């Protein structure tokens, strides 16, 4: 059964109202999860926590998706065959999507909103650390669907153990069409090795800023520090590459380091950068380059120029986001075309790599692979296509 856009939006409108009306219950359930968090990594605790602002963000993301075009059924191309057949290529949902994620209860809303409006059914497998929060939110989903006489199986929560999950992945017991793993490399690699179902990889960050020799260094400082304004997000900055020909580099590094220390950053650097400021810890650059920090740690490295910056980023980054700070279009254009990341910025913060910031409303993931889509994934990207051919008895000779 194909749901009309009107019905989808009615469900989503009721969901937004229910979330707002039950904010205290959501926060209470989340507090129960936080109390059981124990020795959970601080970055995961940051992702786990739900407060009034986070609830308001969920409501806002639902309303944003209500306002977006419904992609289901859209005609991509049409061809009138010489024999009289009508050949159309239309947008269709994937079908049934499983998302596996850790800590973030807001994904329970944002991922399912995007999947639902694009016509998909979604199975949610959240981490045990967010169990109470997720169950509370899924209960609201069920109420919104039921209130509009829509099947509750459009949104299902898998409250299952590891052994059952493994069987689901290995045998595809739920007839899945797509799996989206959102988590660390360990989780992603485990799922890759366990299932034959197609994956959309929401990969790691390990994002870079390159500061060109003609850069506005005050701008560079603001962009770098903004890239560390939240530590637990995949669009944070971990590495900064400085062109060694930047005029008055020592003085500029001194100012940047002072600002970075003010916000509590743990600054590591190569021999060149460390020689310019005693607050920078000399480190094994090769060992740190591939690592996604998700912490106060940041690495500063001096390099020869634009070509080395591009090569370094392509070798070590997670393929998520990269930034160049430069005054000229030529260097920026080369950087943006040659750097192999989902989002490449000229004179702007990597923190904008987000579905809401790109006008998608809620996002289900940020894809770091090239098929079938790359970057923030919203409802317009959670679809496939199908050929619809209408004839009146034509046969091919």
């Amino acid at each position: 059964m194909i749901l009309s856009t009107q019905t989808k939006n009615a469900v989503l409108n009721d969901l937004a109202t229910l979330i707002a009306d039950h904010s205290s219950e959501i926060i209470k359930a989340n507090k129960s999860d936080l109390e059981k968090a124990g020795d959970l990594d601080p970055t995961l605790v940051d992702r786990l926590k739900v407060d009034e602002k986070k609830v308001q963000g969920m409501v806002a993301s639902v309303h944003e998706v209500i306002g977006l075009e419904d992609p289901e059924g859209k005609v991509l191309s049409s061809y009138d065959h010489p024999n009289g057949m009508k050949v159309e290529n239309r947008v269709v949902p994937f079908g049934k999507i499983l998302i596996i994620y850790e800590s973030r209860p807001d994904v329970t809303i944002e991922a399912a909103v995007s999947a639902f409006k694009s016509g998909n059914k979604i199975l949610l497998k959240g981490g045990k650390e967010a169990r109470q929060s997720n169950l509370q939110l899924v209960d609201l989903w069920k109420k919104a669907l039921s209130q509009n006489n829509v099947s509750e199986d459009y949104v299902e929560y898998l409250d299952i153990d590891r052994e059952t999950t493994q069987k689901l992945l290995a045998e595809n017991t739920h007839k899945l069409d797509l799996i989206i793993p959102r988590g660390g490399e360990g989780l992603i690699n485990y799922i890759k090795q366990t299932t034959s179902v197609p994956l959309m990889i929401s990969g790691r960050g390990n994002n870079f800023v390159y500061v060109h020799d003609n850069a506005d260094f005050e701008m560079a400082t603001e962009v770098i520090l903004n890239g560390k304004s939240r530590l637990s997000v995949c669009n944070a900055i971990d590495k900064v590459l400085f062109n060694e020909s930047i005029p008055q580099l020592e003085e500029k590094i001194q100012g940047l380091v002072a600002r970075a220390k003010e916000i509590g950053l743990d600054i590591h650097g190569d021999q060149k950068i460390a020689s310019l400021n005693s607050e920078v810890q000399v480190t094994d650059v090769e060992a740190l380059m591939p690592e996604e920090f998700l912490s106060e740690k940041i690495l500063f490295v001096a390099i020869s120029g634009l070509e080395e910056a591009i090569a370094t980023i392509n070798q070590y980054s997670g393929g998520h986001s990269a930034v160049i700070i430069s005054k000229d279009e030529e260097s920026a254009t080369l950087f943006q075309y040659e750097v192999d990341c989902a989002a490449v910025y000229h004179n702007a913060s990597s923190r904008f790599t987000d579905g809401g910031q790109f006008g998608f409303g809620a996002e289900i993931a940020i894809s770091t692979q090239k098929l079938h889509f790359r970057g923030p994934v919203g409802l317009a990207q959670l679809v496939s296509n199908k050929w619809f051919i209408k004839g009146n008895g034509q046969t091919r000779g």
Side-chain angles (χ1 to χ4, degrees):
M1 173 182 172
I2 298 176
L3 299 178
S4 69
T5 302
Q6 183 179 7
T7 298
K8 292 175 184 178
N9 285 343
V11 171
L12 296 178
N13 190 63
D14 284 353
L15 175 64
T17 301
L18 286 164
I19 294 170
D21 290 348
H22 291 79
S23 62
S24 59
E25 290 98 319
I26 296 167
I27 293 169
K28 182 179 178 181
N30 183 252
K31 284 182 178 177
S32 176
D33 287 327
L34 289 168
E35 287 168 1
K36 298 173 184 175
D39 296 329
L40 198 66
D41 186 278
T43 58
L44 292 180
V45 172
D46 177 59
R47 294 180 180 187
L48 173 59
K49 185 177 179 180
V50 175
D51 53 18
E52 190 62 43
K53 182 179 179 181
K54 188 72 73 72
V55 173
Q56 291 172 4
M58 294 181 199
V59 173
S61 69
V62 177
H63 281 300
E64 286 174 5
V65 170
I66 290 172
L68 296 177
E69 181 183 1
D70 184 347
E72 188 174 9
K74 180 180 179 181
V75 177
L76 298 174
S77 65
S78 180
Y79 171 62
D80 294 319
H81 196 281
N83 68 12
M85 292 189 307
K86 184 77 169 180
V87 181
E88 289 186 338
N89 189 228
R90 299 182 191 172
V91 173
V92 295
F94 274 110
K96 189 177 287 188
I97 299 171
L98 168 64
I99 181 168
I100 302 177
Y101 55 107
E102 301 168 332
S103 286
R104 291 184 53 183
D106 46 330
V107 171
T108 303
I109 297 300
E110 294 183 5
V113 163
S114 298
F116 175 72
K117 184 155 181 179
S118 53
N120 298 284
K121 295 184 177 180
I122 189 164
L123 304 178
L124 301 154
K125 177 66 180 76
K128 61 183 180 181
E129 69 283 349
R131 181 175 182 270
Q132 295 302 321
S133 306
N134 288 333
L135 290 174
Q136 177 69 34
L137 292 167
V138 170
D139 182 61
L140 300 180
W141 257 113
K142 299 292 187 184
K143 288 178 180 176
L145 291 162
S146 177
Q147 286 173 189
N148 291 276
N149 298 313
V150 175
S151 173
E152 293 183 9
D153 67 2
Y154 269 94
V155 180
E156 292 187 50
Y157 191 75
L158 299 181
D159 193 16
I160 56 179
D161 59 24
R162 184 180 178 86
E163 184 177 337
T164 308
T165 302
Q166 185 174 15
K167 184 176 181 181
L168 181 159
L169 294 171
E171 301 178 16
N172 195 13
T173 53
H174 287 62
K175 294 181 169 51
L176 302 169
D177 297 291
L178 179 70
I179 297 175
I180 302 176
R182 284 185 61 165
E185 288 185 271
L187 171 69
I188 292 170
N189 290 334
Y190 166 74
I191 294 171
K192 279 182 178 179
Q193 295 164 9
T194 307
T195 190
S196 60
V197 179
L199 303 183
M200 180 181 287
I201 303 298
S202 186
R204 66 192 180 97
N206 192 29
N207 305 312
F208 285 68
V209 172
Y210 166 58
V211 185
H212 198 38
D213 57 2
N214 63 8
D216 178 332
F217 207 87
E218 185 176 339
M219 177 193 292
T221 298
E222 297 303 326
V223 168
I224 292 163
L225 298 180
N226 185 253
K228 290 302 247 185
S229 57
R230 281 196 67 194
L231 305 177
S232 64
V233 291
C234 60
N235 57 24
I237 289 299
D238 284 343
K239 315 296 185 316
V240 184
L241 309 176
F242 298 95
N243 189 307
E244 61 188 7
S245 298
I246 293 171
Q248 300 172 306
L249 180 59
E250 181 173 1
E251 178 183 337
K252 291 173 179 176
I253 291 292
Q254 296 278 4
L256 172 59
V257 169
R259 291 280 307 279
K261 297 300 281 187
E262 285 176 5
I263 64 170
L265 297 189
D266 177 19
I267 309 166
H268 297 250
D270 62 0
Q271 289 283 353
K272 169 72 172 178
I273 298 295
S275 71
L276 303 178
N277 190 291
S278 60
E279 296 277 6
V280 178
Q281 303 174 51
V282 180
T283 193
D284 183 347
V285 171
E286 286 297 314
L288 287 186
M289 274 293 189
E291 183 182 337
E292 182 183 22
F293 295 150
L294 297 174
S295 71
E296 296 86 355
K297 189 184 294 183
I298 191 166
L299 176 64
F300 291 171
V301 177
I303 60 169
S304 61
L306 181 61
E307 289 186 6
E308 185 179 354
I310 293 168
T312 300
I313 294 167
N314 287 344
Q315 180 176 355
Y316 293 110
S317 86
H320 190 293
S321 300
V323 179
I324 180 172
I325 307 298
S326 175
K327 288 182 178 178
D328 69 86
E329 292 290 335
E330 185 177 354
S331 60
T333 298
L334 180 62
F335 180 92
Q336 290 185 291
Y337 272 96
E338 294 296 325
V339 166
D340 192 15
C341 288
V344 281
Y345 293 83
H346 177 203
N347 294 345
S349 171
S350 65
R351 293 281 288 110
F352 288 106
T353 308
D354 174 85
Q357 295 296 324
F358 283 8
F360 298 172
E363 69 182 25
I364 196 168
I366 296 179
S367 172
T368 53
Q369 64 189 48
K370 297 184 181 180
L371 292 175
H372 87 292
F373 199 81
R374 204 175 189 190
V377 176
L379 74 159
Q381 292 76 44
L382 280 178
V383 291
S384 184
N385 66 297
K386 184 191 289 187
W387 292 96
F388 290 72
I389 302 94
K390 186 174 181 62
N392 55 7
Q394 287 90 338
T395 58
R396 182 174 177 178

